[in-house]
Every structure is written in C-alpha cells, then in structure tokens.
C-alpha cells in the first residue's frame, strides 16, 4: 500500500495540476492549503487546512506521507517561503523523513532578480535540510506568459521588451515531471525542464492577440539593466530539455475555449 503524497499549495496554479496528475495515477494526494476545501476542489484528495508560516497543522499535513511536492509559495513575501520551507522540513524530519520535491525556476542562480535570490536560498535549504530531496527547475508556465501578454495587451499599442524569449511549459506537463520524481528515488538536482518551443515574447503576444481576437500593434522596446541582459542571454531557457508537450498556442486554444 502506498501512502499519501502531500502537495503544499495544492490550490495554486501548479499545485492543482499536481493533484490532478496524482489522482490520474491513482495516487492519494493530500493538499495543504490555508483555506478549507470548497466545492471546486477535488473531493478525492485528502485536505489539511494549515499554514506553513504559522506552523498550524503542518504536523498533520506531513504525517505518514511518502513524499512532499512543495508547490506552496507567496510571491509577494518570499521571506515567508524561506520560513515556511524551513518549518516544513523541520516538521517532516520529526516524522518519517519523506522525500521532498521542490519546483524551482530555470536560471534562478543567473538572473539577478530579488525573488530568485530567495529561491536559491530555498533550494539550499532543501539540499541541506536533512530530508531526501529532488529539485526540479522549470521554465515559466504558460499561465505566467499569458498574464504578461494580456497585461501588455490592454491597449492597442502593445510594448514588450525586445530580445526576450520564453520556453513556456504547460502546468500538467510540469506536474507529470514532479510526480515522476516524487514516486522515484530522490534525484538531487534533476535536469532542467522546459516547454516544447523557445519563442520571442513578440511571437507569443502575436499568438495571444490572434487567439483572443484583439487587434494589437506589438512593439519591441529595448530595456536596459542587468536583469534584462540576463534574460536576453537566455538564462531562463533550457533548449536541450524540452520536456513539455503542449505549446503556448495549444494552451491558448484550451483557455479561450473555456472562456478564459
Ligand atoms: N509561475 C511560473 O511560471 C513558475 C515557473 C517555474 C517554477 N515555479 C514555481 O512553482 C511553484 C508554484 O508556483 P505557482 O505559480 O503554482 O504558485 P501559486 O499559484 O501562487 O500557488 C501557490 C499556493 O501556495 C499556497 N500558499 C501560500 N502561502 C502558504 C502558506 N503559508 N501555507 C500553506 N500554503 C501556502 C497558496 O494556497 P492557499 O492560498 O490555498 O493557502 C497558493 O495556492 C513555486 O515554487 C514557483 O516558484 C513557477
């Protein structure tokens, strides 16, 4: 008999896909979320309402699990991610020392974003924390690229940083990878994983405007600075590790069909 797999942040963009993937594979997900289950949440997942930062019910969440896929994050308060991850590890060490799988971001150690410095610190916590571990760096999700182009596309003129490329991945593809890791022996730092295509942000914006039926003039704008230089050098890409199967265009067709 296999034991449950804990999905922290199982209500989030990636976490929901991980929960769905586990259910598809007849594995028992246990969600840790700060909110109670609602009618849109899968009834077949176990549910713990708790908080990684306050520590509330974290011991219940980690009790008797085989592995943990740690998708919880608070982009606006990354110091909370550090505290929450430390709490998760310390609590799990008191239990059965499950395998901890952490999704990180391709290029996190090369792109000088403040948020990425926190992520590198969390990767180190995972690596040195004492639990068996796997770290999977992923490229940007289609959902994030959609947010970027949709925000830029609020007006007829659509300014976007020139030279910026993405290799976005569909969250179900990313989830498949994380579940593969979680049910196998710990891998340490796994090879990076990205979507099926590397494309310029202008091309991605063009695909969005066509799919959404918006007439937009896309304008590439040179953006100075260290961060954009790192992106222009392609540190957010992993062209040799195209593991995703769904392109941004296919993702858009799915989202727009659902009215998104
Ligand atoms: N977005 C991307 O393009 C991308 C690319 C590569 C890797 N990643 C990584 O993938 C992971 C998941 O990202 P995401 O975009 O799916 O995030 P998300 O949609 O913002 O979901 C994060 C979830 O974390 C939960 N959470 C936040 N604080 C918590 C706390 N104190 N205790 C318990 N749960 C908490 C929230 O659940 P409740 O509100 O229900 O508590 C939320 O649903 C992150 O580590 C991110 O860095 C993201």
């Amino acid at each position: 008999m296999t034991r449950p797999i804990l999905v922290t942040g199982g209500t989030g963009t990636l976490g929901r896909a991980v929960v769905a993937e586990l259910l598809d594979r007849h594995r028992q997900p246990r969600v840790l979320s700060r909110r109670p289950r609602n009618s849109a949440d899968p009834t077949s997942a176990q549910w713990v309402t708790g908080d990684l930062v306050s520590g509330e019910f974290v011991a219940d969440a980690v009790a008797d699990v085989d592995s943990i896929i740690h998708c919880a994050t608070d982009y606006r308060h990354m110091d909370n991610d550090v505290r929450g991850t430390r709490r998760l590890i310390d609590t799990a060490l008191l239990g059965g020392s499950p395998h901890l799988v952490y999704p990180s971001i391709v290029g996190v150690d090369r792109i000088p974003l403040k948020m990425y410095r926190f992520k590198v610190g969390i990767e180190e916590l995972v690596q040195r924390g004492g639990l068996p571990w796997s770290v999977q760096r992923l490229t940007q999700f289609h959902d994030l690229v959609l947010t970027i182009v949709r925000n830029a596309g609020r007006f007829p003129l659509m300014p976007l940083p020139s030279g910026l490329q993405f290799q976005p991945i569909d969250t179900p593809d990313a989830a498949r990878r994380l579940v593969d890791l979680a049910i196998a022996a710990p891998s340490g730092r796994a090879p990076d994983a990205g979507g099926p295509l590397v494309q310029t942000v202008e091309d991605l914006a063009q695909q969005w405007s066509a799919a959404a039926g918006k007439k937009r003039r896309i304008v590439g704008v040179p953006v100075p600075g260290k961060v954009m230089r790192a992106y222009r050098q392609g540190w957010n890409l992993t062209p040799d590790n195209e593991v995703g199967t769904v392109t941004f265009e296919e993702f858009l067709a799915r989202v727009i069909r659902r009215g998104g």
Side-chain angles (χ1 to χ4, degrees), residues 1 5 8 19 22 27 30-32 44 53 62 69 81 84 93 98 105 111 136 138 212 215 217 223 231 239 252:
M1 263 297 275
I5 294 180
T8 73
V19 170
L22 288 168
R27 298 293 300 241
R30 179 184 296 163
V31 171
L32 172 66
S44 38
V53 178
V62 299
I69 306 180
D81 279 23
L93 280 169
I105 305 173
I111 299 171
Q136 176 64 69
L138 300 160
K215 242 181 144 45
R217 194 156 83 83
V223 179
Y231 275 104
L252 285 174

Side-chain angles (χ1 to χ4, degrees), residues 4-135:
I5 294 180
L6 176 64
V7 187
T8 73
T11 52
T13 307
L14 178 61
R16 281 195 310 271
V18 169
V19 170
E21 178 68 20
L22 288 168
L23 289 172
D24 274 359
R25 296 205 207 178
H26 307 288
R27 298 293 300 241
Q28 177 64 67
R30 179 184 296 163
V31 171
L32 172 66
S33 162
R34 290 166 298 179
R35 64 162 176 81
R37 191 200 303 264
N38 67 34
S39 58
D41 297 316
T43 48
S44 38
Q46 296 179 1
W47 201 275
V48 175
T49 303
D51 189 321
L52 286 167
V53 178
S54 71
E56 229 180 337
F57 295 107
V58 175
D60 299 76
V62 299
D64 206 30
V65 294
D66 265 342
S67 31
I68 301 171
I69 306 180
H70 181 30
C71 301
T73 190
D74 182 351
Y75 292 112
R76 275 160 300 182
H77 305 102
M78 287 299 291
D79 50 328
N80 279 346
D81 279 23
V82 177
R83 265 189 281 158
T85 304
R86 192 172 288 134
R87 164 110 49 197
L88 179 70
I89 293 171
D90 290 347
T91 312
L93 280 169
L94 299 174
S97 285
H99 174 192
L100 178 60
V101 178
Y102 182 59
S104 188
I105 305 173
V106 170
V108 77
D109 51 350
R110 302 187 112 144
I111 299 171
L113 280 171
K114 187 170 172 208
M115 185 200 138
Y116 282 13
R117 281 205 297 276
F118 281 104
K119 294 264 329 166
V120 170
I122 297 167
E123 283 188 354
E124 284 166 8
L125 275 181
V126 169
Q127 289 162 13
R128 301 204 190 119
L131 293 175
W133 61 275
S134 304
V135 167

Side-chain angles (χ1 to χ4, degrees), residues 91-253:
T91 312
L93 280 169
L94 299 174
S97 285
H99 174 192
L100 178 60
V101 178
Y102 182 59
S104 188
I105 305 173
V106 170
V108 77
D109 51 350
R110 302 187 112 144
I111 299 171
L113 280 171
K114 187 170 172 208
M115 185 200 138
Y116 282 13
R117 281 205 297 276
F118 281 104
K119 294 264 329 166
V120 170
I122 297 167
E123 283 188 354
E124 284 166 8
L125 275 181
V126 169
Q127 289 162 13
R128 301 204 190 119
L131 293 175
W133 61 275
S134 304
V135 167
Q136 176 64 69
R137 291 185 182 177
L138 300 160
T139 54
Q140 281 66 47
F141 303 156
H142 288 322
D143 310 74
L144 178 67
V145 173
L146 175 59
T147 303
I148 294 169
V149 294
R150 210 187 243 154
N151 281 341
R154 280 174 303 163
F155 306 104
L157 190 71
M158 203 171 163
L160 287 161
S162 52
L164 177 60
Q165 292 182 297
F166 288 112
Q167 186 186 342
I169 188 166
D170 206 24
T171 49
D173 286 335
R176 201 169 313 118
R177 182 82 167 196
L178 294 171
V179 171
D180 284 345
L181 289 174
I183 63 180
S187 317
R189 171 85 190 279
D192 290 355
L197 293 175
V198 174
Q199 292 179 298
T200 65
V201 72
E202 289 100 327
D203 283 346
L204 294 159
Q206 184 57 52
Q207 288 163 23
W208 168 77
S209 68
K214 313 256 185 204
K215 242 181 144 45
R216 293 288 181 269
R217 194 156 83 83
I218 298 159
V219 184
V221 181
V223 179
K226 281 189 286 193
V227 171
M228 276 312 302
R229 195 176 322 127
Y231 275 104
R232 279 193 298 273
Q233 283 172 338
W235 295 127
N236 61 323
L237 309 173
T238 182
D240 296 334
N241 294 298
E242 295 171 355
V243 305
T245 57
V246 174
T247 65
F248 186 63
E249 207 163 15
E250 289 163 342
F251 161 82
L252 285 174

